[in-house]
Amino acid sequence: MILVHGGVVVGIEGFLIDVEVDVRPGLPGFEIVGLPSKTVRESRERVRSALRNSGFKFPAQKVIVNLAPAHFPKDGALFDLPIALGILAHLGSIRPDQLKDKIFAGELSLSGQIKRINGVLSLAELAAKHGFEFILPQENKNEISLIPGNNIFLAQSLPDLVQALNGNVTSPPPRPTPPRSKSKPHNLGKEIKGQAHAKRALEIAALGRHHIMLLGPPGVGKTLLATQARHLLPPLAHDEMLMVNKIYEAAGLINQGSPPLTERPFRAPHHSVSQAALIGSKTGKPGEITLAHLGVLLLDEFPEFNQGALQGLREPLDHNKVHISRAEQSLTYPADFWLIATANPCPCGYLGSSVRLCTCSGRDLNRYRRKLRGPLLDRFRIFCYLTPLSEQE
């Protein structure tokens, strides 16, 4: 039996998985056990074709792969590489001792190329925690630029990796330089005309990261001010940049070849967003409040949002994290964001305006104000009412 270390990402955290490969006499077959998902079970065909197309033989015996711990669900194609290396170690193409103290992760193409995977930042932290070397696809080199240290090896294809493990290694490709945030705080007074008190309120709110609500009739600049307020925040530190990229990687929002995210997140979901999309879904995908971690969450037209979604913000605003419990799994995501909300004072928007008369009835006003419930409004520290600009402004 050959043991190869792999990993799986649950939420934004990596967990060590032991890939046990056993080749024994018997009728030819290939079985994977240990609660594998359909994607993991399909590794049998990818591994078989990748080995043959890379010039290696596939054993005409019974191949059994166990993913331990067996009670833990496994998903993703990142187990292709450790499974293939375990089989090659049985065939004698790799010395088993060369697989020790290493974590392997990668998806194999039918030609033997190692393709890009998600969650490498979480797995890199896992490898550093255990003192292991981390072997991953060459296509993930941009994400790895955020990880310090020399315990990372990039592999382009299965034959190249086998040569490297056997000692016939060439000089590794250079790693990209760590990115730096290029954002610079600017003064709202120079960018936006008028609304001096609103700009001052946003500056105070940004300094203390106080949640703020901007009220006023249509056209006074609430959305413009809220959108530009993100530039009041300082640039991301390196550890914050790493956390933001881990979250967006878990959500599948980092494309192949794209550089790491270096700016603070800014999320502005439409008011029709569901509670699962705002807080987090039952499949474990991060919601908008997690995607806005260390950045800004703008809820434009605040009273028009679904009440269930809005009330789900109470605990995350207090604890800066969200705990998603479902029958299959339980996950905790960070949710430390700066909330900016905008709202009209009434359904027509012109209550108290000197430009246009309000046409709302008393019943309309009561129905509209009931949407702004006290326990949620208590999470806001600053309320600012905006009036139309004067002709001089």
Side-chain angles (χ1 to χ4, degrees):
M1 190 269 293
I2 301 295
L3 173 63
V4 186
H5 292 301
V8 66
V9 179
V10 179
I12 59 173
E13 300 299 329
F15 293 90
L16 190 66
I17 301 295
D18 293 334
V19 181
E20 302 171 344
V21 182
D22 188 26
V23 180
R24 62 179 62 182
L27 292 175
F30 195 172
E31 296 294 335
I32 301 178
V33 297
L35 285 185
S37 66
K38 183 177 180 181
T39 304
V40 178
R41 288 196 297 268
E42 289 175 348
S43 297
R44 296 175 296 183
E45 304 305 323
R46 291 192 297 269
V47 170
R48 183 183 285 111
S49 297
L51 290 177
R52 290 175 175 171
N53 292 330
S54 299
F56 304 105
K57 293 182 179 180
F58 190 84
Q61 295 175 297
K62 182 70 172 180
V63 179
I64 299 178
V65 177
N66 178 42
L67 305 177
H71 69 278
F72 201 80
K74 290 82 176 181
D75 190 19
L78 68 169
F79 294 106
D80 292 2
L81 186 57
I83 292 174
L85 293 175
I87 295 174
L88 290 175
H90 263 290
L91 296 175
S93 300
I94 304 173
R95 298 197 313 271
D97 61 306
Q98 295 296 324
L99 302 178
K100 294 181 179 179
D101 299 330
K102 296 180 177 68
I103 293 180
F104 299 89
E107 177 185 349
L108 290 176
S109 68
L110 300 184
S111 63
Q113 297 294 312
I114 304 177
K115 303 177 69 175
R116 182 184 181 276
I117 58 174
N118 288 327
V120 294
L121 293 177
S122 301
L123 294 178
E125 286 189 337
L126 175 68
K129 176 182 177 181
H130 289 84
F132 289 169
E133 186 179 2
F134 184 35
I135 288 83
L136 72 158
Q138 170 73 24
E139 294 180 355
N140 288 106
K141 61 181 181 180
N142 288 335
E143 296 98 304
I144 293 303
S145 62
L146 292 167
I147 301 294
N150 299 317
N151 66 325
I152 295 174
F153 183 84
L154 301 172
Q156 188 169 5
S157 66
L158 186 59
D160 294 342
L161 179 57
V162 172
Q163 292 292 326
L165 293 174
N166 289 329
N168 304 323
V169 60
T170 58
S171 58
R175 291 173 57 184
T177 56
R180 294 183 178 181
S181 179
K182 299 179 180 179
S183 63
K184 295 182 180 180
H186 67 220
N187 189 352
L188 289 181
K190 297 181 180 180
E191 303 291 334
I192 302 173
K193 301 296 182 182
Q195 303 296 2
H197 70 296
K199 289 184 285 191
R200 180 59 178 161
L202 286 169
E203 290 172 354
I204 296 173
L207 182 63
R209 204 67 63 89
H210 303 304
H211 307 309
I212 182 173
M213 178 176 289
L214 303 178
L215 299 163
V220 295
K222 302 187 299 293
T223 303
L224 175 62
L225 285 166
T227 303
Q228 295 300 313
R230 55 179 167 171
H231 300 297
L232 295 172
L233 298 177
L236 285 172
H238 184 270
D239 57 338
E240 294 177 331
M241 199 180 303
L242 179 60
M243 176 59 73
V244 169
N245 280 270
K246 282 174 58 178
I247 293 172
Y248 276 72
E249 229 189 3
L253 298 179
I254 296 182
N255 299 322
Q256 179 177 346
S258 60
L261 302 175
T262 59
E263 308 296 331
R264 289 192 178 272
F266 177 79
R267 306 295 298 184
H270 190 261
H271 64 258
S272 62
V273 65
S274 65
Q275 183 176 2
L278 186 64
I279 306 301
S281 67
K282 63 180 180 180
T283 60
K285 188 175 181 181
E288 291 289 337
I289 62 174
T290 301
L291 295 175
H293 179 62
L294 299 175
V296 177
L297 177 66
L298 169 60
L299 298 184
D300 203 10
E301 301 297 337
F302 187 74
E304 303 302 328
F305 279 78
N306 176 272
Q307 282 300 305
L310 290 181
Q311 299 309 314
L313 293 173
R314 293 185 187 181
E315 291 80 6
L317 288 174
D318 283 341
H319 305 296
N320 295 332
K321 59 183 178 181
V322 56
H323 189 70
I324 303 174
S325 297
R326 298 293 184 265
E328 300 85 2
Q329 59 184 348
S330 180
L331 299 172
T332 300
Y333 285 118
D336 185 9
F337 55 89
W338 179 27
L339 175 60
I340 303 178
T342 68
N344 294 322
C346 66
C348 77
Y350 293 99
L351 180 66
S353 173
S354 59
V355 177
R356 185 172 171 181
L357 290 177
C358 174
T359 58
C360 301
S361 64
R363 180 178 298 179
D364 294 335
L365 289 174
N366 291 332
R367 186 185 302 113
Y368 188 77
R369 288 171 179 172
R370 276 198 299 267
K371 297 180 181 180
L372 303 175
R373 298 181 181 177
L376 183 57
L377 291 182
D378 187 58
R379 270 69 177 180
F380 289 93
R381 294 289 179 260
I382 299 178
F383 295 84
C384 183
Y385 190 87
L386 283 71
T387 57
L389 298 179
S390 63
E391 294 183 1
Q392 292 79 7
E393 290 174 320

